[in-house]
Amino acid sequence: MAKELLKGNVAIAEAAIRAGLHAYFGYPITPQTELLEHMSLRMPQLGRVFLQAESELAAINMVYGAACAGVRAMTSSSGPGISLMQEGLSYIACSEVPVVLVDIMRGGPGLGNIQPTQADYHQLTKSTGHGDFRSIVLAPSTVQEAIDFTVLAFDLAEKYRTLVVVAGDGMIGQMMEPAELPPMQKPRTTRPEWALTGAEGRPKNIITSLFLNAESLEDVNTRLQAKINRIRAEEVRHEAMLTEDADILVVAFGSASRIAKTAIREARRQGVKVGLLRPITLFPFAYTPLNQLLVSTSGVTRVKAILVVEMSAGQMVEDVRLATRGRVAVSFYGRTGGMVPLPDEILDQILLLARRLDGAPTTGEELRGTFDRQMAA
């Protein structure tokens, strides 16, 4: 199909519809409300289910019920709404039903503002809800990727019978770019064997997250952990740019990675050997690809310094430090509250790191990483 100019929120909504979405339940919250608005028009036109719930809590439980029936179901929200959904998300994970959640992140904590941020990283990758479970989290950096990852999210959700999150930010939701939509798929007419479709002519199915017996709940957790380990082994996705000879490695995701690319190209023009690692799956995190970039086949550390750039106070940086195990200095530059780092700001940090690697003196004032000044930690 030909490319067309699409806003991110609309592109995600239409991609989900074309991926065979059967039922959408949601509640408006900026900066993702256009996604819900597009669903409110298109889903009834196609004879599918759209319902604006009375709250995010109600919406996620409606999604849970639809998913138990074996249909493709999803919701979307932003940080405060995701917080309200967390109990239902944990029920979904324990019940092992496939669900897609879209989070278009906004400034926080608290009610915050409607500006773009990446500060839901911990919420999505570490604690999407209570208990021992993890969600697959996909982070697009363009409108085209937002489309592609939405379609992929449904496939992964069904492959593993799990919750999959598409994690964008206010920029991804609001920007307009040329992009190509996938062909239309109709919702499935058949249901999985595990689904609740009425037990006439077959043994009844039971879907629950309530296991009062400790041994039974441990069995469930053992199965969930085995699934998570399989996801870790099979579903890591990342992008590497100009890493073959890099002395400095920038690690960033989503919109921040896109901005970082401009700074990296300018730093290269100025003779600095710098590259980018962009995690595409925030969970599972790209631990192995990052380590492979750090260490040569002979075991020699190749990269001399890492700069993590985030639109937050520093959350993914913790995973980067876990991956490096202290072998490489990891520094951080972030903006919060909906402030977006500019290419010049990131370039300044790259050039500062380059000067330090060359042994040039630097002052405390130059260490401009907003919340983490441990440039040689």
Side-chain angles (χ1 to χ4, degrees), residues 130-148:
H130 60 281
D132 284 321
F133 80 94
R134 307 289 286 274
S135 307
I136 298 174
V137 184
L138 302 166
S141 65
T142 66
V143 172
Q144 185 63 63
E145 285 189 345
I147 292 169
D148 298 340

Side-chain angles (χ1 to χ4, degrees), residues 118-189:
Q118 296 178 326
D120 293 358
Y121 180 93
H122 279 164
Q123 182 184 38
L124 299 177
T125 64
K126 312 294 186 186
S127 60
T128 323
H130 60 281
D132 284 321
F133 80 94
R134 307 289 286 274
S135 307
I136 298 174
V137 184
L138 302 166
S141 65
T142 66
V143 172
Q144 185 63 63
E145 285 189 345
I147 292 169
D148 298 340
F149 293 176
T150 299
V151 176
L152 175 62
F154 284 102
D155 294 337
L156 291 174
E158 292 177 347
K159 178 179 179 180
Y160 294 101
R161 285 179 58 182
T162 193
L163 173 65
V164 179
V165 182
V166 178
D169 59 68
M171 287 180 64
I172 297 294
Q174 294 295 319
M175 71 170 59
M176 297 187 73
E177 291 185 313
E180 184 176 343
L181 290 163
M184 180 70 77
Q185 298 180 45
K186 293 182 179 179
R188 284 191 310 257
T189 56

Side-chain angles (χ1 to χ4, degrees), residues 64 91 94-95 206-213 216-217 220:
Y64 182 20
Y91 289 7
C94 188
S95 300
I206 298 174
I207 296 177
T208 184
S209 66
L210 178 63
F211 299 90
L212 297 179
N213 180 282
S216 298
L217 186 54
V220 171

